[in-house]
Amino acid sequence: MGSPRIGPNRELKRAIESYWAGRTDKAQLESVAAELRKQTWAELAAAGLDSVPVNTFSYYDHMLDTAVLVGALPARYSAVSDEVDRYFAAARGTAELAPLEMTKWFDTNYHYIVPEIGPGTQFALNPTKVIAELEEAQALGISARPVIVGPLTFLALSKAVDGGAVPISRLDELVAVYAVLLSTLANHGAEWVQFDEPVLATDILDNAADLARHTYSVLGDLSYRPAIFVATYFGELTDALTSLAGTPVEAIGVDLVAGSAATVAAVPALTNKTVVAGIVDGRNVWRTDLESALGTLEKLRESAAHVAVSTSCSTLHVPYTLAAESDIDAALRSWLAFGSEKVIEVATLARALREGREAVAAAIDEATAAIASRKSDPRLRNGDVRARLASILAGGRTRGPAAARRESQNARLNLPALPTTTIGSYPQTVEIRKARAALVAGELDQNEYTNRMKAEVESVIRLQERLGIDVLVHGEPERNDMVQYFAEQLDGFFATVNGWVQSYGTRCVRPPILYGDVARPKPMTVDWATYAQSLTDKPVKGMLTGPVTILAWSFVRDDQPLSETAAQVALAIRDETVDLEAAGIAIIQVDEPALRELLPLRREDKDAYLDWAVSSFRLSTSGVADSTQIHTHLCYSEFGEIIGAIADLDADVTSVEAARSHMEIVEDLTAAGFANSIGPGVYDIHSPRVPDTGEIADGLRAALSAVGPERLWVNPDCGLKTRKTDEVEAALHNMVEAAKQVRAGA
Ligand code: GLN
Ligand code: ZN
């Protein structure tokens, strides 16, 4: 369905970043890119794929590529004359031009560039990239299948600008461009084309089934075109599958990991289609149970003209290969399959369908044995954790009434009105990163590393004292990443050495693998928090990552419901809060920036998710006394469907992003019954711009008119780790000044 593009050792990341920095030229960048494409195709073909996806390569993102393909790049970027630079300008901005927005691709941690569609957008085909890749692959003798985001998904994920109509209203115009694309691809010898339409597996479009019928009838009716494969993933198709089956397209892809084969088999019109069965999980790291997958595929064969085998979605979402993992025990290794291994699984299953089970009996038996060893591994079940969870009843998820908590916290903390604070991290300076790299490389011992981090904590505490901030943080210098840091200290997690996955553009993350029952062998953050607290009389806020975010940014076990795994993580975080409290920490923040990201794509699944998400947060934060203040931080301010859940978290203080006006945020939350304190970010930390005191004070006054002074906090909108120290100092200085002015009634 598509493969990772960043390079097995992040070669593309390095090539692009050095091009941006002006160290290399365009020809050098293009040659790294071409070499990576060649390697990828060769590997896919050698693994035994009959049809190899092309055009899944990208310098930044496939939605941005599609915007270029259909002529939908906003006119402002035409100021940049070079094509590659224009593309990067849209992706990440220039000194003069703001970039396009970026947001999460469905419920994954991959971010796509959001195309802008306005009255000025005039679709026109620009097929240079896709044709070039097609020809490049053909020249290598590869049976290449171009992959392109389909028109429905493209428009559904775009945003209207300049007073334009909702993008999907432009469907017919866009379909006309796709029609030209089809004949162009046919001219270049493409036998198949894949249109990705994951939006059909969601509730994003109201009339998805009708739109799918319409679009693919028009495209399917064209006589001069490649065969069309409509790929869907991340969920189950409902009516849209029946609609698609009624159009002339030749193949339909279904996600059999997120959806069920029985539902697919129930659609009668599939008897004259190829069903591309996404049976190998493309977005998680577990080895496929080949025996059971084969059973499903054989059954499905009874209801489709042809069954083809594929991953459930692009393997963009998993690391390249297990072969790069030197530091992994044999049992765990045998349970896993990364990108390359998944492609082999696909080929193996197809061969079994074609030639019979016997042809691949050894591979099937090996998989069966690995699955059995995983089931019986003692690390998967920790009796203590399970017993403790079973004994914590509903009472383990509630604290005293919010008003009583506020009273005892006020008495203990004695903070001014409109208290100032920050979200947790301070700049991750070059020295911090160098020290961490040296520690990992064995060039720095643990003691020396700790000393350097302590010096950093001290300087961050002194900075905050100088600035006059009310609630201090230790700055998180010791954390490589807010999830990985905890995963490395908890039982049940494994950290890969090279399991990089593209998050956006050249940014990659290395999600830990949560494979077994989670337990906390010992305190994880207490030493850092108490050290920071020992340096100052002001309260220092303890800093933890919440259970939902830990799950969202890890590869999670698939052998039990997420809700159970979340509860185990929550219990570990709860123990940490209790230890922090016992060590004298009066304020603890449990970050949940990913709460919204995991929200299911289908309406009917949302309530159940929000129930367990809220319940796990409450489990993690309700072990402390009323006098201990719990904060949380969310990385957005468009609460939409989760607003009720945010109120249910029942944190004493919630800080959120600054994207909208303070007033709107506060009003929305109040309308949803939220009666606790709120810190709407007073400035955007994602930009180097330093806000001035006046504008911060204006925002605060507006918020103050919607919520009393006893419930309003003053903070930036996110952690400061990506910023430079001088920017941070200037911005926080103005923030503190603004709070003083507003407190004084000025
Ligand atoms: N405490 C974290 C930090 O300050 C929160 C990061 C986040 O919001 N994603 O960096
Ligand atoms: Zn944030």
Side-chain angles (χ1 to χ4, degrees):
M1 300 285 279
S3 44
R5 42 173 94 123
I6 203 75
N9 293 301
R10 292 180 294 158
E11 293 86 346
L12 186 64
K13 170 194 175 70
R14 296 208 180 85
I16 293 176
E17 288 176 353
S18 92
Y19 175 72
W20 288 344
R23 289 193 300 269
T24 47
D25 63 16
K26 200 160 87 176
Q28 285 166 297
L29 172 60
E30 280 170 352
S31 103
V32 172
E35 183 54 34
L36 280 171
R37 286 192 294 264
K38 192 170 138 189
Q39 272 175 26
T40 305
W41 299 331
E43 186 190 323
L44 295 177
L49 294 193
D50 301 302
S51 167
V52 171
V54 303
N55 197 45
T56 60
F57 174 82
S58 180
Y59 277 136
Y60 206 94
D61 164 56
H62 50 265
M63 279 291 284
L64 180 57
D65 295 340
T66 313
V68 173
L69 170 74
V70 301
L73 213 53
R76 64 177 181 274
Y77 300 112
S78 38
V80 182
S81 57
D82 178 82
E83 219 179 330
V84 172
D85 294 337
R86 191 183 316 137
Y87 178 88
F88 286 135
R92 52 199 292 271
T94 64
E96 298 80 31
L97 295 169
L100 291 173
E101 249 177 52
M102 193 164 66
T103 195
K104 296 214 167 172
W105 177 244
F106 300 93
D107 56 352
T108 74
N109 194 19
Y110 174 85
H111 303 64
Y112 70 93
I113 297 285
V114 183
E116 293 178 356
I117 309 290
T121 311
Q122 277 181 337
F123 297 123
L125 187 66
N126 172 19
T128 324
K129 173 180 184 289
V130 53
I131 298 302
E133 283 184 34
L134 177 61
E135 289 181 338
E136 207 175 294
Q138 286 165 338
L140 295 164
I142 302 285
S143 166
R145 177 184 87 251
V147 177
I148 295 154
V149 176
L152 296 167
T153 298
F154 179 75
L155 291 174
L157 299 190
S158 293
K159 81 174 208 190
V161 292
D162 305 333
V166 49
I168 197 71
S169 66
R170 308 278 301 266
L171 183 62
D172 283 336
E173 275 169 74
L174 185 62
V175 168
V177 171
Y178 275 72
V180 185
L181 170 65
L182 283 173
S183 62
T184 310
L185 289 171
N187 280 336
H188 285 84
E191 287 171 19
W192 279 93
V193 59
Q194 171 182 330
F195 288 131
D196 278 8
E197 294 287 19
V199 78
L200 296 178
T202 74
D203 289 331
I204 295 173
L205 290 172
D206 283 335
N207 44 349
D210 293 341
L211 294 172
R213 180 182 307 112
H214 172 69
T215 302
Y216 288 98
S217 299
V218 172
L219 295 176
D221 280 340
L222 297 169
S223 51
Y224 183 61
R225 62 168 176 84
I228 298 175
F229 162 30
V230 180
T232 69
Y233 41 86
F234 298 152
E236 183 148 271
L237 294 182
T238 49
D239 309 349
L241 182 57
T242 313
S243 292
L244 281 177
T247 71
V249 303
E250 284 74 15
I252 301 169
V254 288
D255 182 335
L256 297 183
V257 177
S260 92
T263 323
V264 176
V267 177
L270 288 176
T271 45
N272 52 39
K273 300 285 180 214
T274 293
V275 171
V276 182
I279 191 109
V280 170
D281 195 343
R283 56 184 290 192
N284 208 338
V285 291
W286 305 106
R287 183 176 196 154
T288 305
D289 182 341
L290 294 178
E291 187 80 62
S292 117
L294 189 55
T296 306
L297 295 171
E298 272 161 355
K299 190 102 210 346
L300 193 59
R301 255 181 159 179
E302 294 163 12
S303 23
H306 294 284
V307 168
V309 188
S310 76
T311 50
S312 62
C313 60
S314 170
T315 53
L316 178 68
H317 307 289
V318 292
Y320 268 80
T321 174
L322 260 179
E325 296 307 316
S326 44
D327 188 26
I328 184 171
D329 73 77
L332 183 49
R333 178 188 293 274
S334 77
W335 309 339
L336 298 172
F338 290 177
S340 314
E341 292 80 28
K342 285 175 188 293
V343 177
I344 304 278
E345 291 181 333
V346 166
T348 305
L349 286 167
R351 189 157 167 226
L353 284 184
R354 220 159 19 212
E355 300 171 24
R357 188 193 183 285
E358 304 67 42
V360 294
I364 294 181
D365 293 346
E366 201 189 299
T368 305
I371 308 287
S373 102
R374 182 176 165 206
K375 276 210 182 93
S376 60
D377 194 282
R379 290 174 290 180
L380 264 60
R381 296 187 66 84
N382 176 325
D384 290 349
V385 169
R386 288 179 182 256
R388 278 186 68 203
L389 273 178
S391 72
I392 293 186
L393 302 171
R397 291 172 167 80
T398 359
R399 304 183 69 203
R405 290 181 344 232
R406 184 178 307 149
E407 210 169 293
S408 69
Q409 291 161 20
N410 285 349
R412 176 175 182 191
L413 294 165
N414 199 19
L415 294 168
L418 276 67
T420 51
T421 191
T422 55
I423 305 303
S425 59
Y426 272 72
Q428 286 263 338
T429 59
V430 179
E431 295 75 54
I432 296 176
R433 272 178 289 183
K434 273 198 188 141
R436 185 150 41 247
L439 175 74
V440 172
E443 293 152 14
L444 196 66
D445 70 18
Q446 186 66 49
N447 256 340
E448 179 53 23
Y449 174 75
T450 305
N451 287 340
R452 291 198 196 173
M453 295 304 122
K454 278 184 154 175
E456 181 62 30
V457 169
E458 172 153 22
S459 90
V460 165
I461 293 286
R462 297 295 167 239
L463 170 64
Q464 296 170 88
E465 286 187 321
R466 267 199 319 277
L467 289 165
I469 293 178
D470 301 306
V471 170
L472 312 193
V473 295
H474 80 290
E476 305 178 25
E478 79 289 8
R479 303 189 186 177
N480 39 13
D481 170 274
M482 65 185 288
V483 169
Q484 201 183 331
Y485 180 76
F486 291 95
E488 282 171 2
Q489 300 187 69
L490 289 167
D491 290 347
F493 283 89
F494 171 76
T496 66
V497 293
N498 198 47
W500 296 100
V501 176
Q502 187 180 18
S503 172
Y504 60 85
T506 60
R507 170 146 170 90
C508 299
V509 293
R510 206 153 38 97
I513 298 174
L514 194 175
Y515 65 91
D517 276 1
V518 174
R520 188 195 69 142
K522 57 180 202 294
M524 304 181 283
T525 65
V526 175
D527 286 350
W528 293 104
T530 50
Y531 172 67
Q533 185 65 82
S534 74
L535 301 169
T536 177
D537 295 333
K538 298 256 180 96
V540 171
K541 183 160 67 162
M543 199 57 58
L544 305 173
T545 303
V548 178
T549 299
I550 290 184
L551 256 55
W553 296 347
S554 302
F555 290 115
V556 179
R557 62 193 293 184
D558 59 354
D559 59 344
Q560 65 181 22
L562 278 180
S563 55
E564 273 175 43
T565 311
Q568 294 182 353
V569 177
L571 198 57
I573 301 298
R574 178 187 178 98
D575 290 349
E576 189 74 11
T577 62
V578 170
D579 284 345
L580 283 167
E581 178 181 65
I585 301 297
I587 306 181
I588 301 168
Q589 178 170 311
V590 178
D591 290 327
E592 281 293 20
L595 184 65
R596 198 175 63 178
E597 177 183 320
L598 280 196
L599 191 68
L601 301 171
R602 291 287 194 191
R603 248 167 247 126
E604 63 263 29
D605 303 326
K606 291 183 180 172
D607 285 350
Y609 161 72
L610 290 172
D611 273 357
W612 70 251
V614 167
S615 159
S616 69
F617 180 86
R618 292 175 67 135
L619 177 60
S620 70
T621 52
S622 58
V624 293
D626 283 1
S627 59
T628 296
Q629 190 168 67
I630 295 290
H631 289 214
T632 191
H633 169 68
L634 310 171
C635 278
Y636 37 84
S637 67
E638 304 272 359
F639 308 113
E641 298 161 297
I642 66 164
I643 191 150
I646 292 172
D648 290 345
L649 294 178
D650 198 30
D652 297 305
V653 182
T654 301
S655 64
V656 298
E657 216 174 76
R660 291 157 69 236
S661 88
H662 281 42
M663 178 107 117
E664 283 175 297
I665 294 168
V666 173
E667 280 174 352
D668 283 2
L669 274 168
T670 308
F674 182 85
N676 298 353
S677 299
I678 163 102
V682 297
Y683 75 92
D684 175 12
I685 65 93
H686 302 94
S687 138
R689 187 176 159 270
V690 174
D692 61 46
T693 307
E695 71 181 84
I696 299 177
D698 287 345
L700 287 174
R701 279 185 212 101
L704 208 49
S705 67
V707 59
E710 64 286 341
R711 283 175 51 206
L712 188 62
W713 281 65
V714 180
N715 46 258
D717 77 344
C718 199
L720 304 168
K721 57 177 165 263
T722 56
R723 295 266 64 91
K724 302 228 156 51
T725 306
D726 50 350
E727 290 161 10
V728 163
E729 189 159 351
L732 293 180
H733 170 84
N734 294 351
M735 182 184 91
V736 172
E737 279 313 301
K740 283 186 191 155
Q741 285 180 12
V742 176
R743 273 177 209 153

